[in-house]
Each structure stands twice: as C-alpha cells, then as structure tokens.
Amino acid sequence: MSNNEEKQKKINKLVEELESSKQKYKIEKKPLLVENLLSPYLGSDFKNLQKQIVYHLEHTLPRNTKTFQSFGTYLATSYTIRDRLLQLSHDTQKYYNEKKVKQACYISIEYLMGRFLRNAVLNLNLEEKYEQALAGFGYALEDIYDEEQDPALGNGGLGRLAACFLDTLATHNYPAWGYGLRYNYGLFRQSIGSEGEQVEKTDVWLQFPYPFMVENHFLRIPIGFYGSIETYVDEKTKGTRFKWHPSEYVIAQANDILIPGYGTDNTNTLRLWSCRPIEELDFDKFSLGDFKGASENRLNAENITNVLYPNDNEVAGKELRFKQQYFLVAATLHDIIRRLKEQKRTIYELPDFAAVQLNDTHPTLAIPELLRILLDEEMLTWEEAWDITQRTFSYTNHTILPEALERWPVKLISHLLPRHMQLIEAINWKFLEKVRKIDKNNGELTKKMSLIENSWDTLVRMAWLAIVGSHKVNGVSGIHTNILKNIVFQDFHSFYPNKFVNVTNGVTPRRWLHACNPKLSELITSTLKSNDWIYDLAHLSKLREYAENEDFQLKWAAIKTFNKRKLQAYVKKELKIDIGCDGVIYDIQIKRIHEYKRQLMNVLASIHFYLKIKKMSKEEKTKVQKRVSFIAGKAAPGYLVAKKIIKLINRVSNVINNDPEIGDLFKVVYLPNYSVTLAELLIPATDVSEHISTPGCEASGTSNMKFVLNGGLILGTLDGANLEIMENSGEENVFAFGITSKEVPQVKQRNIEQGAWNLMPEELQSILGIIEEGKFGEADEFRGLLEELKGVDRYITGHDFIPYIKELENVMSTYQKPHKWWKMSILGCAGSGWLSSDRTIKEYAEKIWGIKPCPLPKIESDKELGLGNSFPLKEKQIDQKKVNIIKKLIKDQKTNERFRRVYSIMYQIEEENEKDEKN
Ligand code: NBG
C-alpha cells in the first residue's frame, strides 16, 4: 500500500467516526412538551405587571430607562395586555375547536373600535393593579390612556355597531369572529380652516405600532381577479363544469385584534385583512433600471387596502372599492372554510359551523363567491350549493336611502370577476323563474324584483342579491324594519314572508357607561349594591325607585356637572372658547353631517335664538336659559352640500360667540375631528342630545341610546330608535316633535306642488333672508343650501322648523325645573336596559344565527387541590403532594390546557428533562 493510500484509509476511518458520531440529544417529538411549556397565565399583581412592562420597554420597543416616556409607557403597558389576550385567545380557540361549536362570523367593511387600552383593562378587571403599577413609574393610568390614538377604520354608526357587537359577543361567551379590512389609512382627520371650512388630512394611524394588532404571517391567502372561465365536462357526472382562471393575484394577510370580554376569559378575534403583492419586486424591471415599474405590483396590491372610503350612507361607486369588497369576502370565506376543514368536517357542514352575517350590502359578493367555491372547487350540485349558501348567510340592512343602496355595473363585475357575474346571472335566472309564476302584471313584478336592473346602465342590485342569497334579513329598529317590509322591499317580503325580522340595535354598556362615565358607573353600582348591570343592563330598571329621591338626584346632577366641566376644559384648551357650565344646558348633536340628519335645521334654529336674544331687553335677558349648542361630525369629502353645512355652522358660531350682546347666554361650538374618543367625552357631558332626522330616514341612529344611558335627554323626531326609546323610557321622558314617517310623503308632495318657499314659516324665511344678506359671510357661498330649502326642501326642514323650535323652548323651560329634569334623566336611564347590545346579540343568536354561549371552563380541581383561585401560583403554595396530583392529572390528560397553564409546570418539566438526561 502506498503512503497515500495509507493516508486515505486513515482519513476514511476518521470520516466514518465523524459520520457515526452520536447525536448528543435524542431527537424525538414529545407530544405534550409544547403544551406543557406554554407559559403560565401572566401574574397580575402590580409587581408582576411592572416587570412585564419593563420587559417590553427593553425588548419590544425598545427603549431604555432614560427614554421611558409616556408614549413608551403606553406601548409597553399595551403589550402586556396583548400578551394576556394572546394566552386567553389561544385557549379560547382551542376550546371552541374541541367543542365544535357553531360560530358567528360578522363580515363588515368597517369597524370603529375606539381606543383599546382602557376597555381591555376594565374588561380584564385589572384597573387598580395597573394604576398601582404605573404609579410606581410616575404615571397616572388615566394619562397613559390618552396616549393611544383612535383607529378610525369606519365612518359612523354601522362601524361602531360592529364594534359594540364584538364586545358583547366576547362578554357573553359567544363563539364569534369579526372579519374586516386593515386599512393603511383610516377615516380622514378633520380640521376647520380659517373660513370655517372642513379640511381633510390623511389618517396615518400605522405610523406608530398598534400594539393590539397581531400580524399573522402564517395566514396568507391568494385572491384572484380578472381572467377567464374554462368550461369542461366532468368525467364523473358528464355534466358541464366551470373553472375560473384569474389573471391577477394578490395576497390577503391576516392581522388579528383580540377582543376581551368583560369578566370572562373568553377572548374572540377580529381578523383584518391587508393586501400584499404576490411578488414584492419585479427584479427583471429593477435590473433594467425601471425602478418605478419594479414596484408597480406592490403598489397596486397595497392600494386595495390603502384607504377606507369616507362615505356614509352613500355609495362610493369606484372600481377600487369593489375590489376591496371582493378581497374582504374572498379572504374571509377561504379562512372560514379552512377552519371548518381543520376540524375534519366536510363542506356540507358549513351552515352548522358558521353563521355568516353580511353587515350591509358591502360583503354581498360573499354569496356568489361561496357558490363558486361549492360548485367549481367542491363539485357540489347547484341544489346543494345553493341550499348551503342560503343557510349560511344572513343580511342586515342599515339604510333605506336610495343613494346608499349599492348597484354595481354588470360590465365592471364581468371584467373583474367574470365567473361571479355568470353566477349572479344564474341566481337571477332561477329566482325570476319563480317570480314569473306569480307575476300577473305583464312582467312588471319580474322587472322590479330582478337582481339586474336596466337603467342608465345595466346594474346588479346588491341588496336584492343579499336578500335572495340569505335565510334572514333584518332591519335595525322597529320602524326601519317596517319600512323595509312594507315599502323598500315590499315585493320581497310578500315573496319570502318569513325572511324579514327586526333586531333593534344596541350599544355596549361597558364602553358607553362603565368606561366612559366612571363616576356614574360607581353611583349606579353603589346604589344597586351590585355591578351586575354591567353585563345585564335590565338591572337598571331598579333605578326607577330613586328617580324622585332628592339625595340621589343631587348626586346624579353632580356627576353630570363633573363631566360637563371636563368638556368645558377641553373646549377651552382645544378651541380657546370660554363656555359656562353650571346652569348651562349642553345641547349636543354629534353624527355624520348629512342632509337627512338636518344639522342645517339645528344651525338655523341657532340663528333664530340668536336673533331673539339680540332683540331682548336687559331685563328679559336675565331670564334666558343659557345654552351651548355643540355640533360635531365629518362630511364625506365629496359631499359638497354637507361641507357647506359645516361652513355655515362655523360662520354662525363665529358671529354668535363673538357678539358682546349675547355673552354667555348662548354659544355655538363646532368640535372638529369627531371620533369615538371624542364621543366618550361628549356623551357623559350631555344634557340634551339631538336626533332630528327627517322621519323615515334614520334607520336607527344608535348614538341616541348612548345618551340615554348616560342620563342625557333626547330631543328628537319620530324616527329610528327614538321611537323605541320613547316606548321603553316613557314618552314623557323624551322631547319628541314633528310628524310620523307616514305623513312625510304628503308634505314632500305639497312642497313640490306649491313650492317650499310658499309654505315656509315667516320666521324661517327671514332667517334665510339674513343669510342672504351676508351676515355670515358671502351670501353666494350658501346659495345652494338655501335654494334647496326654498325649492323642494326634500328633508322638510321648513315644515318641521316651528315644532322644532317650540320643543327646544320646552327643553329650556324644563331645565329650569331641576326636579322634573333629573327625574326624566334618571327614568330615561332606568328604562334603557333593552338598549344594550347584549340584548341585540341575544336576538341575533336566537332568531338568526343559531349559536349558543360557550364559556371557557373554570379551572377545575382547584378546590380539590385546596389551591384556591389565586393564580398564578406562588411556588410555596405547591407542596410535593399537590405537585404529584397535578402531574397525574396532566399525565392522564384529565385536564384542559388552561389547567396546565395555571399549574405550569416548571416542576414537572424540569424533572422530566432531568430524567431524560440521565437516560
Ligand atoms: C347607519 C344608519 C344609522 C344606524 C347605523 C347602524 C349606514 C349605512 N347606516 O341610522 O344610518 O344607526 O347604520 O345600524 O351607515
């Protein structure tokens, strides 16, 4: 053997040794190891909280001890909340999956969540502990709450309702998911320019981290657009089948916000989709120096979830909006079906797995999308697929305004989603076949009920599609549902007599009383000697017996004043306006600016009172009831009339507030940038709130409920939920005025026939005259507004003006009788038990969804073990005997995962590891 060969032999031997060298640790999967190692529930004594906060400060933000300022403190504190919610939501999902419970999936293109931190801290019942923890760092929890920005992923009532529902669903342990979009930019930020006009700025809410949202990088769902349809013969059935080949794809990525319930461990999820490109960068283009072209893909994709369309009660008829809608429902259905299959269930079980609620027509494309999946991917028959679709969906209508009923051009749909258009046509064809059988009037009915309308274009009527594809359709207040049944969807109601139901909206008492009005919450709890009302609002009825109790009234009034002073200070700080407080009525109208909501009528009345006071003698002025009229709300940037109304309000406010003859007798304050957070300041401080829509126009106007809950009285028309508030709190406790919705058409007709100007009361005529003279700036500015009032006056402001003013006077004179006023205020609140979204959701669950609460089990065996409920356990609480019992329970799999978390488990894992090492 040569030398070299010799060497090679030795090398080979060494290699052999290397190859056979033993793996030091045995690689094997231990089934329970991960579960056993799940971290125990986070300690919530203040010392533990402090540690957790500092941990995030250093590791997550990261900041150091010197840069530990309030914003950082807010973030670090919020991350500790997120950690808790992650644990709870993990356990919740696991439990729901084990139990295979049916769940509600609420699809909404908007969620107006408001600030998160306070709500979460309260729901988890950790306020005191966090207060104590932060005090040690030199911060007041209350100030830390103020560091949070308010994510404005919604326009108004529809989005806020969705947020209230999520709170209730978690609180009452309903298995439920919210699905929506994570817009890069929320609703624009509004400021007021020097001329009184609305100025809009982009809401860059993701500029800083939003600690309550967890990006879920594992869930990336491809969503197709455009392309063509392939037709082929199915070998098995010999029937014709279709397959859509999209020509463009984007990715839907999940971002989860975890929703804590009040006083429960159940924690649900709001899943918001954001859009990503399939390919981040086109490298070929980049290499050729086309840098712009290289990122085109990414920009186009990101565009889909870039902005929330700022339209409320109006269609945003843009192609991009349509893409948003499809993107939302395609990602959502994919996710729901994925979760169904994860439970090893078949597609036939979908309607028993998920009740999918379409929040208004924006998610209606879910109907043809599900049908497509069932037919083209799951290969079901039409009958099977249609049956599953109808049993899965239900639809809530939120408006009857014709300009808000969505209709999308057939051309647009065919281009973007060819297969879906084909399916909509098929649905329509099959539906109209049945309609034709009862159509005795030359096809008149068929034309009216067709999902496809031929008017200025060929359009798909999305509400019609939503009705046909759902098993239940609901309106959001008694009057609204009646209008749907008897007017707007009358033909459908006759066709499907059992489909239409009413579910009156509600609001969550956690945010809208307990959190935003802590002093009133305390008073109610101490008076009722229980805080049960927080999750069962019907308990408020017991306040009735205190309505005339002098002592109670004084306390009630003191809290109102306390809240008003906070608002007074805010107005001074933000707007530099001095307003009075004690003895001054705070009269508030806050909502989107819309003609039908009649902020215009409000400001015209302000002019009326202004002129009236100006004419008074000194003596008369001493008797005037002082009042501040607050208005807040945004106008859609493209809604020019609404923007003019904002301008007029600001001009009028400027004149009145600076007129020395008026002084503090009357002020008009426009508060810019209305938001959930601002509402939380305003509502507890309100004496009287205005809900003065033209009857029949406001579906519910859900904020009215929040005022009543906080002891504010309502000045309102016979519209929306005002009517039900009157029923429940007593007519005598509401300042109602005007005609019924049934009478409105006659008044409108008269306006058309005789001209509104000729029917207008003189008082109003002279107010219009004064505006035209230029008292509030260039007359031309407001000509459009005035012409409408003088010509057709669609919202019957002229007709309602005098009754409105009279009722306002009634408000003012009643305020001078405090005993009566506070009695009304207390009785209003006492009657508001049914206003809770808890009641609303119970109705949805029972009448529409067929879901039941599924509370996480309490940690069992605590008592058996003599460990009590205080977790996490301190080490010394566990002696070896108990450890052995726990270990046995775990080994025998007689415990749930939560139990493991509690008694985790350092001992046993350590021991096992040691054993392993010895082996
Ligand atoms: C709004 C109605 C309100 C109602 C909310 C919530 C839309 C389309 N509709 O009256 O105008 O309170 O929905 O139901 O935003």
Side-chain angles (χ1 to χ4, degrees):
M1 219 186 281
S2 74
N3 214 354
N4 278 352
E5 278 174 354
E6 189 87 346
K7 269 190 182 162
Q8 186 58 47
K9 225 175 155 189
K10 280 185 186 160
I11 290 175
N12 284 353
K13 188 123 194 279
L14 288 171
V15 171
E16 237 170 64
E17 266 176 48
L18 286 176
E19 279 175 348
S20 69
S21 78
K22 251 181 111 193
Q23 168 69 29
K24 191 165 166 204
Y25 298 106
K26 202 165 136 209
I27 310 264
E28 70 176 331
K29 214 174 195 166
K30 294 189 196 160
L32 283 178
L33 182 64
V34 175
E35 288 185 25
N36 287 346
L37 281 176
L38 283 176
S39 41
Y41 284 116
L42 290 166
S44 49
D45 53 292
F46 85 95
K47 284 210 176 123
N48 251 308
L49 290 182
Q50 287 181 332
K51 273 191 214 153
Q52 292 157 24
I53 291 171
V54 173
Y55 173 85
H56 280 296
L57 187 86
E58 187 178 18
H59 296 87
T60 314
L61 299 184
R63 304 288 277 175
N64 60 43
T65 39
K66 288 216 181 78
T67 51
F68 186 4
Q69 280 150 355
S70 13
F71 186 63
T73 309
Y74 146 70
L75 284 176
T77 306
S78 303
Y79 282 116
T80 68
I81 289 285
R82 185 181 88 156
D83 289 347
R84 310 189 127 61
L85 295 180
L86 277 168
Q87 293 186 325
L88 292 173
S89 100
H90 179 117
D91 296 357
T92 308
Q93 287 311 329
K94 182 135 195 280
Y95 190 64
Y96 290 166
N97 277 333
E98 272 164 24
K99 293 281 153 193
K100 299 199 169 178
V101 282
K102 181 170 180 183
Q103 50 194 263
C105 296
Y106 199 80
I107 314 186
S108 176
I109 204 145
E110 300 187 7
Y111 289 89
L112 254 188
M113 299 297 284
R115 283 181 179 160
F116 196 93
L117 183 59
R118 181 202 297 265
N119 187 254
V121 167
L122 283 178
N123 275 11
L124 295 168
N125 195 18
L126 288 175
E127 187 152 56
E128 229 180 290
K129 304 265 175 55
Y130 270 102
E131 250 166 37
Q132 199 184 357
L134 290 177
F137 299 137
Y139 290 107
L141 179 58
E142 193 66 32
D143 297 338
I144 293 303
Y145 289 149
D146 271 338
E147 292 292 323
E148 183 180 343
Q149 51 176 341
D150 182 339
L153 306 186
N155 275 288
L158 172 146
R160 184 53 234 173
L161 183 76
C164 281
F165 283 1
L166 292 180
D167 181 79
T168 284
L169 286 162
T171 297
H172 288 276
N173 306 313
Y174 285 107
W177 287 70
Y179 281 102
L181 294 179
R182 195 221 60 184
Y183 302 102
N184 290 329
Y185 309 111
L187 185 61
F188 66 90
R189 301 213 172 142
Q190 179 204 50
S191 59
I192 298 300
S194 58
E195 300 290 301
E197 78 282 11
Q198 165 171 297
V199 178
E200 297 122 21
K201 277 218 188 76
T202 314
D203 169 49
V204 194
W205 75 291
L206 291 173
Q207 190 178 10
F208 293 107
Y210 183 65
F212 307 106
M213 191 162 60
V214 188
E215 275 182 57
N216 185 337
H217 292 281
F218 299 98
L219 250 189
R220 292 165 56 85
I221 299 171
I223 308 292
F225 288 101
Y226 309 102
S228 56
I229 308 168
E230 179 197 78
T231 313
Y232 67 99
V233 177
D234 179 11
E235 283 306 315
K236 262 205 239 141
T237 60
K238 306 286 172 228
T240 309
R241 286 278 177 188
F242 300 89
K243 188 157 177 47
W244 176 34
H245 297 284
S247 58
E248 242 183 73
Y249 279 98
V250 291
I251 295 285
Q253 191 200 298
N255 306 269
D256 293 345
I257 297 183
L258 309 173
I259 311 290
Y262 174 82
T264 170
D265 287 338
N266 282 51
T267 301
N268 288 337
T269 306
L270 166 60
R271 180 154 283 173
L272 301 178
W273 302 107
S274 56
C275 191
R276 305 289 318 155
I278 287 272
E279 207 183 352
E280 294 278 336
L281 190 83
D282 184 331
F283 217 80
D284 289 344
K285 284 189 180 163
F286 185 82
S287 307
L288 292 172
D290 179 6
F291 304 126
K292 217 170 141 200
S295 337
E296 210 173 288
N297 245 341
R298 179 171 57 81
L299 294 177
N300 281 345
E302 280 174 359
N303 237 347
I304 294 185
T305 46
N306 238 357
V307 250
L308 160 75
Y309 277 92
N311 302 6
D312 173 73
N313 267 297
E314 197 194 345
V315 172
K318 301 274 184 337
E319 177 171 323
L320 189 58
R321 166 71 165 203
F322 186 79
K323 277 185 147 180
Q324 288 186 338
Q325 298 188 346
Y326 177 66
F327 177 78
L328 167 62
V329 301
T332 301
L333 284 177
H334 187 107
D335 195 42
I336 295 173
I337 293 172
R338 180 187 63 80
R339 293 191 295 106
L340 167 81
K341 292 193 171 167
E342 242 171 40
Q343 287 188 3
K344 310 247 176 324
R345 295 167 76 177
T346 73
I347 195 73
Y348 292 96
E349 292 177 80
L350 182 64
D352 309 313
F353 172 74
V356 182
Q357 188 68 30
L358 307 173
N359 195 27
D360 220 280
T361 50
H362 319 131
T364 305
L365 286 167
I367 292 168
E369 171 67 0
L370 179 59
L371 204 52
R372 182 191 68 79
I373 296 172
L374 299 176
L375 292 170
D376 302 356
E377 290 176 12
E378 302 287 342
M379 307 307 243
L380 268 49
T381 65
W382 176 278
E383 287 67 29
E384 289 169 332
W386 184 242
D387 173 64
I388 290 176
T389 302
Q390 274 190 325
R391 286 197 291 132
T392 301
F393 292 113
S394 41
Y395 151 60
T396 306
N397 173 287
H398 289 271
T399 181
I400 59 148
L401 296 192
E403 62 267 35
L405 290 181
E406 289 191 290
R407 286 152 220 257
W408 289 103
V410 169
K411 247 187 269 154
L412 178 110
I413 307 182
S414 312
H415 180 53
L416 255 98
L417 304 171
R419 175 67 176 136
H420 298 76
M421 192 58 237
Q422 201 183 40
L423 286 168
I424 294 170
E425 273 162 0
I427 298 169
N428 195 34
W429 176 257
K430 288 176 195 275
F431 170 64
L432 291 183
E433 258 183 354
K434 295 187 195 134
V435 175
R436 270 188 212 104
K437 289 191 186 131
I438 55 164
D439 187 353
K440 309 213 164 63
N441 207 356
N442 286 332
E444 211 31 56
L445 186 68
T446 314
K447 214 163 119 195
K448 271 178 15 195
M449 294 182 79
S450 169
L451 308 190
I452 296 168
E453 161 185 312
N454 283 303
S455 51
W456 51 275
D457 200 346
T458 319
L459 305 166
V460 175
R461 297 159 159 161
M462 300 309 269
W464 279 219
L465 176 57
I467 297 171
V468 173
S470 299
H471 64 281
K472 283 281 185 274
V473 178
N474 77 288
V476 292
S477 73
I479 178 181
H480 172 59
T481 303
N482 282 338
I483 293 175
L484 292 183
K485 283 184 187 170
N486 303 325
I487 301 170
V488 186
F489 301 139
Q490 188 191 20
D491 300 324
F492 286 91
H493 180 45
S494 324
F495 190 81
Y496 299 117
N498 299 322
K499 211 178 246 201
F500 288 79
V501 293
N502 177 56
V503 186
T504 299
N505 284 168
V507 302
T508 165
R510 270 74 62 187
R511 182 176 292 269
W512 295 114
L513 205 172
H514 182 51
C516 76
N517 199 345
K519 301 290 174 207
L520 191 62
S521 168
E522 278 166 33
L523 176 67
I524 294 173
T525 298
S526 64
T527 308
L528 303 182
K529 298 191 182 60
S530 145
N531 67 358
D532 286 355
W533 62 270
I534 299 176
Y535 45 83
D536 183 0
L537 203 61
H539 287 283
L540 288 188
S541 66
K542 294 179 209 144
L543 289 176
R544 289 214 171 91
E545 43 179 296
Y546 299 90
E548 298 199 66
N549 177 315
E550 194 63 33
D551 185 44
F552 187 74
Q553 281 200 350
L554 288 178
K555 287 184 187 154
W556 190 266
I559 290 168
K560 187 58 83 186
T561 307
F562 171 86
N563 292 326
K564 281 165 76 175
R565 289 201 187 152
K566 275 213 275 189
L567 176 55
Q568 182 189 29
Y570 178 87
V571 170
K572 174 80 185 159
K573 180 165 169 247
E574 298 294 324
L575 305 175
K576 319 276 175 282
I577 303 177
D578 282 305
I579 54 171
C581 173
D582 301 356
V584 182
I585 296 187
Y586 280 15
D587 167 349
I588 300 193
Q589 187 181 19
I590 43 175
K591 37 185 91 243
R592 286 299 288 253
I593 310 294
H594 221 291
E595 287 162 277
Y596 84 83
K597 295 183 190 273
R598 298 200 293 191
Q599 285 94 349
L600 182 57
M601 185 160 88
N602 185 337
V603 70
L604 294 170
S606 289
I607 300 177
H608 165 86
F609 284 105
Y610 167 64
L611 298 172
K612 195 170 155 189
I613 299 172
K614 262 181 101 72
K615 281 194 208 126
M616 286 179 180
S617 67
K618 258 195 172 160
E619 168 63 20
E620 284 169 322
K621 280 188 183 170
T622 60
K623 293 187 191 124
V624 170
Q625 167 58 53
K626 291 179 189 163
R627 181 167 69 103
V628 181
S629 162
F630 296 87
I631 299 184
K634 295 178 183 177
Y639 189 176
L640 300 184
V641 180
K643 287 169 100 169
K644 274 277 147 52
I645 296 174
I646 293 183
K647 199 165 192 178
L648 180 62
I649 298 168
N650 281 303
R651 293 287 182 75
V652 170
S653 141
N654 204 26
V655 171
I656 297 181
N657 297 354
N658 293 308
D659 189 332
E661 284 181 19
I662 302 297
D664 63 353
L665 295 183
F666 184 42
K667 295 266 186 251
V668 174
V669 176
Y670 184 88
L671 295 152
N673 208 29
Y674 182 52
S675 62
V676 175
T677 303
L678 194 54
E680 288 171 13
L681 174 71
L682 286 160
I683 291 170
T686 303
D687 292 307
V688 62
S689 74
E690 304 208 16
H691 305 271
I692 54 176
S693 50
T694 311
C697 289
E698 189 71 276
S700 158
T702 316
S703 77
N704 44 14
M705 307 182 179
K706 300 168 193 163
F707 290 97
V708 181
L709 201 54
N710 285 276
L713 297 177
I714 289 197
L715 168 60
T717 45
L718 306 177
D719 200 17
N722 288 352
L723 288 162
E724 279 152 276
I725 291 176
M726 289 165 72
E727 267 169 44
N728 286 276
S729 289
E731 267 177 48
E732 65 288 3
N733 298 315
V734 173
F735 296 102
F737 68 92
I739 55 178
T740 63
S741 66
K742 290 207 176 97
E743 295 164 301
V744 171
Q746 297 155 22
V747 176
K748 281 193 182 172
Q749 191 55 32
R750 251 185 284 143
N751 280 349
I752 291 168
E753 283 165 11
Q754 300 177 37
W757 174 259
N758 299 318
L759 299 164
M760 189 181 286
E762 264 175 46
E763 285 88 338
L764 187 54
Q765 285 182 339
S766 64
I767 291 169
L768 300 195
I770 287 165
I771 300 174
E772 280 172 339
E773 281 164 18
K775 172 87 186 163
F776 304 104
E778 297 269 318
D780 265 359
E781 284 269 15
F782 305 115
R783 197 168 305 286
L785 283 185
L786 305 188
E787 289 308 318
E788 209 286 321
L789 289 180
K790 290 165 150 186
V792 181
D793 188 12
R794 274 184 302 158
Y795 298 101
I796 67 165
T797 301
H799 180 271
D800 280 357
F801 193 66
I802 298 295
Y804 172 51
I805 285 189
K806 288 215 167 112
E807 204 53 38
L808 249 171
E809 274 163 355
N810 184 18
V811 168
M812 293 194 264
S813 64
T814 310
Y815 196 72
Q816 298 187 341
K817 299 171 202 135
H819 186 77
K820 178 166 181 202
W821 182 274
W822 297 118
K823 180 179 163 194
M824 289 172 77
S825 162
I826 297 165
L827 287 177
C829 176
S832 62
W834 72 282
L835 301 177
S836 171
S837 44
D838 302 351
R839 185 267 312 147
T840 311
I841 285 298
K842 191 159 185 276
E843 286 185 36
Y844 274 100
E846 286 167 6
K847 289 191 213 171
I848 300 179
W849 299 334
I851 62 166
K852 293 200 181 74
C854 177
L856 283 188
K858 293 267 175 290
I859 318 278
E860 279 158 35
S861 317
D862 291 15
K863 281 198 192 122
E864 256 165 75
L865 293 165
L867 296 176
N869 272 328
S870 59
F871 54 83
L873 291 176
K874 301 198 181 84
E875 285 169 37
K876 61 175 186 244
Q877 284 177 278
I878 306 185
D879 58 28
Q880 197 52 48
K881 197 175 131 217
K882 284 171 188 163
V883 171
N884 290 340
I885 303 176
I886 294 168
K887 273 164 61 180
K888 182 148 182 6
L889 282 173
I890 289 171
K891 196 158 165 243
D892 299 346
Q893 298 220 31
K894 285 212 176 123
T895 68
N896 55 50
E897 192 171 287
R898 312 192 60 218
F899 183 90
R900 277 188 210 113
R901 270 201 204 282
V902 176
Y903 302 107
S904 178
I905 296 222
M906 16 198 185
Y907 300 94
Q908 154 239 349
I909 296 292
E910 275 168 14
E911 277 174 32
E912 291 204 353
N913 283 347
E914 274 164 28
K915 251 186 264 157
D916 282 353
E917 271 161 32
K918 276 178 215 147
N919 289 341

